Amino acid sequence: MPPSPLATIALRLALVASAPVHEGPAWPHFAHPNWSPRGDLIAIDCGPGGELDLCLFHVESGRVERLPATADMQEAVPVFSADGRKISFSRERAGAWYLAVLDLDSREVTELAELDMPYASSSSWDPAGDRLAFDALNGDGDHDIFTVRPDGSDRRLLIGGPGSQRFATYSPDGRRLAFTRIVDNAGDIMVAASDGSGARAVTTDDADEGVPIWSPDGSRLSFYRNLDGNLE
């Protein structure tokens, strides 16, 4: 099992501080760590200055490996598939951002869908590895949640308004999706079936909440909460 979230935070702080926990270039940017299912690798976006590339942090050796298959463009927000053989991420090309997948065996990259927005977006693999959920801009300037197959086929609108739908994440059993619904600049945590039906709010207070993360058994959600400027 991957180490605890606290261990992830500690490692990220060590990387950002350029502590001697890794071997490799002293790049100032390390962000968006994502553990592999076996816990032996951490995918991160990294790079010197304003550059963003995908890197793998090898937990045993402390080595940081820059992935050459993605080194010619801006890349960010990597996420391992459930089998650990692929990584989804956002890629910027010619001013546009795309959802893409890197095959770690072949090191080939497949662009799946244009995100229609000028910044990176998160993605989530279903446990079977058959589909990815992601958010992208619609024609009204809000975000909707879509799914697509790992080869880029069968893109579907899954969850739309009101407001923006962001940060979708599959439950460990693949039967549900948690996401953030943002209306009037305030977010609530929502849960829906994996087909997008039956969306319901699990937070309804006056706080701004977002970025849900499932517990390993799927019984709980963690998320950030901002009430009157106090971030929890």
Side-chain angles (χ1 to χ4, degrees), residues 15-186:
L15 287 169
V16 172
S18 295
V21 70
H22 71 278
E23 298 176 1
W27 291 326
H29 176 90
F30 291 94
H32 301 114
N34 185 260
W35 286 94
S36 67
R38 294 191 305 175
D40 58 335
L41 296 170
I42 302 174
I44 49 179
D45 48 77
C46 61
E51 296 180 18
L52 291 175
D53 291 316
L54 295 191
C55 294
L56 290 178
F57 178 84
H58 295 256
V59 175
E60 280 292 321
S61 66
R63 179 172 63 93
V64 175
E65 174 191 2
R66 189 180 188 184
L67 296 173
T70 68
D72 57 339
M73 303 179 191
Q74 299 278 81
E75 290 94 11
V77 201
V79 180
F80 276 100
S81 61
D83 63 7
R85 299 178 63 182
K86 296 180 179 180
I87 295 175
S88 61
F89 62 98
S90 290
R91 160 180 276 188
E92 187 270 339
R93 178 168 54 81
W97 284 89
Y98 297 82
L99 176 66
V101 167
L102 168 67
D103 186 304
L104 288 174
D105 294 328
S106 67
R107 299 301 172 99
E108 293 182 355
V109 175
T110 303
E111 290 184 357
L112 309 185
E114 187 171 358
L115 300 176
D116 299 316
M117 53 194 188
Y119 43 82
S121 178
S122 61
S123 57
S124 177
W125 293 82
D126 77 343
D130 295 331
R131 302 195 72 83
L132 288 115
F134 65 99
D135 60 83
L137 280 175
N138 60 29
D140 298 326
D142 291 324
H143 294 80
D144 291 335
I145 293 172
F146 299 82
T147 66
V148 67
R149 294 191 183 278
D151 63 1
S153 65
D154 194 26
R155 174 173 173 167
R156 303 177 187 175
L157 171 62
L158 196 68
I159 301 172
S164 282
Q165 329 303 314
R166 300 212 63 192
F167 309 114
T169 178
Y170 281 101
S171 62
D173 63 6
R175 298 173 59 185
R176 293 168 292 169
L177 271 174
F179 62 98
T180 305
R181 173 166 287 168
I182 304 170
V183 178
D184 296 331
N185 296 316

Side-chain angles (χ1 to χ4, degrees), residues 3-20:
S4 69
L6 287 178
T8 303
I9 293 171
L11 177 58
R12 181 178 180 184
L13 290 175
L15 287 169
V16 172
S18 295

